[in-house]
Amino acid sequence: MLYSLLGCEWLSGQFPLTQNVTVTEGGTANMTCRVEYNDQTSLQWSNPAQQTLFFGDKKALRDNRIELVRATWAELTISISDIGLSDEGQYTCSLFTMPVKTTKAFLTVLGVPERPEITGFTKPAMEGDEITLICTTSGSKPAAHIRWFRNDKEVTGTKEVNATGKSFTVKSTLQLQVDQSDDGVAYTCSVEHVSLSSNPYQVTEVLEVHYAPHVEISHSVIIPQEGQYFKLECVAKGNPLPEPVLWSKDGGELPDIERMIVEGRELTITALNKTDNGTYRCEASNYLGTSGAEYVLFVYDPNAPGQQDPDHALIGGVVAVVVFITLCLIIALGRYLARHKGTYLTHEAKGSEDAPDADTAIINAEGNHAAEEKKEYFI
């Protein structure tokens, strides 16, 4: 039972004092009226219809839900059990002085919402269908709050509130276009209300969505070689689950049923050989359609020339790339050095271009060099 303090005006002398009371539907409300000073004047409680409930310790209304808790000259307390929405209203405490003094106390009744239900969805849905989920709860006061969850993630619905007498009916609608990812998803409607404290009502609908098969083939060995044990698995998804799956080779039946063993969704080939080369197909069906996938098998002979072990081939490729890059760097470096060496020789020959003979050219070149050295000395 919740109490909210009435704005009481404390006065000296005789004047009744009360409190507003809030109680949940079905609970019990205690209504108390007190006076600071009373010269043996009677107190009285009356209901919203102004019917007297108790006059002092005398019960005036025949209602088994109403009982006396305490009656003195300073206090009159009564209890009302099994509270209903019809009990809500303004109650009056009267002190029969001359003139009569009265004080009001408001009894608020919280309407407990009914447990919700989800309607509007008929199982199963087909992939691509637009479906509507409707969560409804009635009897709440004030109006309850509805939240939707897709598994653990909250989603938003459209809320509608209608008054029904003193209570409210609340409806929330969730519209979805479903696909195969919605198959098996739980949609939960949660009803929250002050009367429920921290324990909301919840109801869950698990969607069932039918969709056509989708097929993939997985294989057990990356590089199949002669003599190996080899397995293909037909991974088929669909609702209803496609059963059984059908295996074929090159458009016809499996040629060697003694070595090609089908168990459920798996095709196992024992002791691979070259005759097993070809295109293997897996098909799966349900009433919505058929889907298939193919795998091209090529069996390697590890002893045949030109069919290197994949690891050796990979290492050889890496080595070839490294050698190629190294050669490119050597060529680039050689060109760089040659270009700068030519520039050096050109500077060394400066001054000998106009010499009439070789001896003069040498002397001129040496002279230029000496001049450079001399110039550098004086700097």
Side-chain angles (χ1 to χ4, degrees):
M1 183 169 57
L2 305 173
Y3 289 89
S4 59
L5 183 63
L6 179 68
C8 299
E9 181 182 359
W10 292 86
L11 302 175
S12 60
Q14 294 174 301
F15 204 92
L17 302 172
T18 59
Q19 289 180 317
N20 289 337
V21 177
T22 300
V23 65
T24 299
E25 186 179 12
T28 299
N30 284 343
M31 311 293 296
T32 299
C33 180
R34 292 187 177 92
V35 290
E36 284 187 318
Y37 169 73
N38 190 351
D39 56 354
Q40 298 186 356
T41 302
S42 296
L43 290 168
Q44 172 185 290
W45 270 113
S46 303
N47 64 15
Q50 294 305 309
Q51 296 172 311
T52 301
L53 303 179
F54 267 89
F55 185 80
D57 59 357
K58 302 295 190 294
K59 187 174 183 178
L61 185 67
R62 290 185 178 181
D63 188 335
N64 294 332
R65 301 176 306 131
I66 303 173
E67 295 181 357
L68 179 66
V69 176
R70 182 178 177 84
T72 67
W73 296 115
E75 177 185 336
L76 178 59
T77 298
I78 63 173
S79 68
I80 307 173
S81 60
D82 195 20
I83 286 287
L85 295 180
S86 60
D87 294 313
E88 183 175 87
Q90 189 165 262
Y91 288 71
T92 304
C93 176
S94 303
L95 179 64
F96 281 85
T97 57
M98 293 297 294
V100 176
K101 297 174 183 177
T102 61
T103 301
K104 307 293 184 179
F106 199 90
L107 173 61
T108 300
V109 181
L110 301 177
V112 181
E114 294 181 1
R115 293 189 176 275
E117 61 175 345
I118 296 177
T119 59
F121 172 61
T122 302
K123 294 181 180 180
M126 303 298 168
E127 184 172 24
D129 282 356
E130 289 190 1
I131 67 171
T132 300
L133 301 179
I134 304 171
C135 180
T136 306
T137 180
S138 58
S140 60
K141 179 182 169 296
H145 178 57
I146 293 179
R147 300 169 68 190
W148 283 100
F149 294 88
R150 184 184 190 274
N151 291 335
D152 295 326
K153 183 178 180 181
E154 186 169 0
V155 291
T156 303
T158 303
K159 183 178 178 180
E160 179 183 337
V161 179
N162 295 303
T164 307
K166 289 190 175 184
S167 64
F168 297 90
T169 297
V170 184
K171 179 189 300 183
S172 183
T173 303
L174 195 62
Q175 292 186 320
L176 310 166
Q177 184 169 15
V178 297
D179 57 27
Q180 58 184 273
S181 65
D182 289 302
D183 185 40
V185 170
Y187 281 87
T188 299
C189 168
S190 178
V191 175
E192 300 175 352
H193 192 261
V194 62
S195 65
L196 301 178
S197 300
S198 58
N199 299 305
Y201 289 153
Q202 292 186 341
V203 61
T204 298
E205 180 73 57
V206 178
L207 299 191
E208 181 182 355
V209 181
H210 283 190
Y211 56 95
H214 174 72
V215 174
E216 295 179 353
I217 295 178
S218 65
H219 46 90
S220 60
V221 179
I222 297 176
I223 307 294
Q225 299 182 15
E226 283 194 79
Q228 284 184 329
Y229 178 92
F230 186 67
K231 181 184 291 184
L232 294 175
E233 182 180 0
C234 185
V235 182
K237 297 180 180 179
N239 192 13
L241 187 66
E243 292 283 4
V245 299
L246 301 177
W247 285 99
S248 62
K249 180 189 177 188
D250 297 329
E253 295 182 356
L254 299 176
D256 190 347
I257 58 174
E258 292 184 357
R259 289 189 310 109
M260 297 181 178
I261 304 168
V262 177
E263 293 181 342
R265 299 174 178 272
E266 295 181 347
L267 167 60
T268 302
I269 305 175
T270 60
L272 284 173
N273 61 55
K274 289 288 186 179
T275 64
D276 297 324
N277 289 346
T279 300
Y280 292 80
R281 180 175 178 82
C282 167
E283 286 191 353
S285 302
N286 62 19
Y287 77 95
L288 292 172
T290 300
S291 177
E294 294 182 345
Y295 175 81
V296 178
L297 174 62
F298 182 81
V299 180
Y300 289 81
D301 181 357
N303 300 316
Q307 293 189 15
Q308 299 179 0
D309 185 271
D311 292 337
H312 294 166
L314 178 62
I315 294 171
V318 172
V319 171
V321 172
V322 171
V323 171
F324 176 75
I325 293 174
T326 303
L327 289 174
C328 290
L329 291 174
I330 291 172
I331 293 170
L333 181 60
R335 289 183 177 178
Y336 175 81
L337 293 176
R339 184 166 57 251
H340 283 272
K341 182 178 180 182
T343 303
Y344 173 75
L345 293 175
T346 300
H347 283 294
E348 288 294 319
K350 186 182 288 184
S352 63
E353 295 173 352
D354 300 328
D357 52 43
D359 293 338
T360 307
I362 292 171
I363 294 169
N364 287 346
E366 291 176 351
N368 286 338
H369 183 64
E372 289 295 332
E373 290 180 350
K374 185 176 181 180
K375 182 178 180 181
E376 184 177 351
Y377 176 80
F378 283 101
I379 289 174

